[in-house]
Amino acid sequence: VGGLDVEEYGIWFSRDLGAGGKLAFAVGFSTKDLATAAPAAGGDQETTGGSISWLHPSGWNVTFATSNVENDAGKDSDFNYVKVGYKTGKHAFSADFGMGDDQVAVGDEAESLGFQYVFSPTKAVDLYAGFKSVSLDRAGGVTFEDIKTVTLGSRVKF
């Protein structure tokens, strides 16, 4: 797009572990030449990230994800996320927590906390509800109101 120079690489893996459950992970890397996007910025921006998920036959599951962005202009950021859940019959519950540092501005510290529920009355229908709270602390005494959202919805699979 407009001469933007980007390279991306990724690998994915999933495996049924039999009595040990299911495991899936992915790792990715991207490099972007910032000079082609904004000549005044110059340099490169590199993004590295990955995630791993495990579903135990008992219904317990866990996911962890992380990413790191580094650029030659000195603005680096990190994000880490963990989710723990439990699935039994037609019901699934989960809680997640995420932390991001320096995502928009140096010194930013963001956190998110969420709770989710899914009811699947049939293989083709999911009904879901969720709550998420997101906060941002910025260096220099800038204050922001926390954002709280409630989500209700459904999904029909064809």
Side-chain angles (χ1 to χ4, degrees):
V1 177
L4 189 62
D5 185 10
V6 177
E7 291 181 43
E8 296 178 326
Y9 306 93
I11 59 171
W12 298 266
F13 174 83
S14 65
R15 177 130 181 145
D16 187 339
L17 304 174
K22 295 180 183 178
L23 180 71
F25 73 85
V27 177
F29 173 79
S30 170
T31 183
K32 176 170 43 173
D33 182 358
L34 296 177
T36 60
D44 291 333
Q45 175 175 295
E46 294 180 348
T47 303
T48 306
S51 65
I52 185 166
S53 296
W54 177 58
L55 170 62
H56 188 267
S58 67
W60 285 101
N61 55 84
V62 63
T63 294
F64 175 74
T66 187
S67 69
N68 174 267
V69 178
E70 295 181 1
N71 69 45
D72 292 340
K75 183 180 175 309
D76 300 340
S77 62
D78 295 298
F79 181 76
N80 294 293
Y81 172 85
V82 64
K83 180 176 93 169
V84 176
Y86 182 70
K87 183 176 180 181
T88 179
K90 297 179 180 189
H91 307 274
F93 310 86
S94 66
D96 63 28
F97 179 73
M99 296 184 314
D101 291 326
D102 306 325
Q103 295 289 306
V104 175
V106 174
D108 279 359
E109 293 182 4
E111 292 184 352
S112 68
L113 177 65
F115 302 94
Q116 300 81 34
Y117 169 72
V118 178
F119 174 63
S120 302
T122 70
K123 285 187 174 189
V125 175
D126 291 332
L127 306 172
Y128 58 86
F131 170 80
K132 179 85 68 172
S133 177
V134 180
S135 65
L136 172 64
D137 294 326
R138 180 158 288 164
V142 178
T143 59
F144 297 94
E145 289 288 325
D146 291 354
I147 298 171
K148 294 176 175 47
T149 59
V150 174
T151 306
L152 299 171
S154 62
R155 178 173 74 160
V156 178
K157 300 176 235 176
F158 296 95

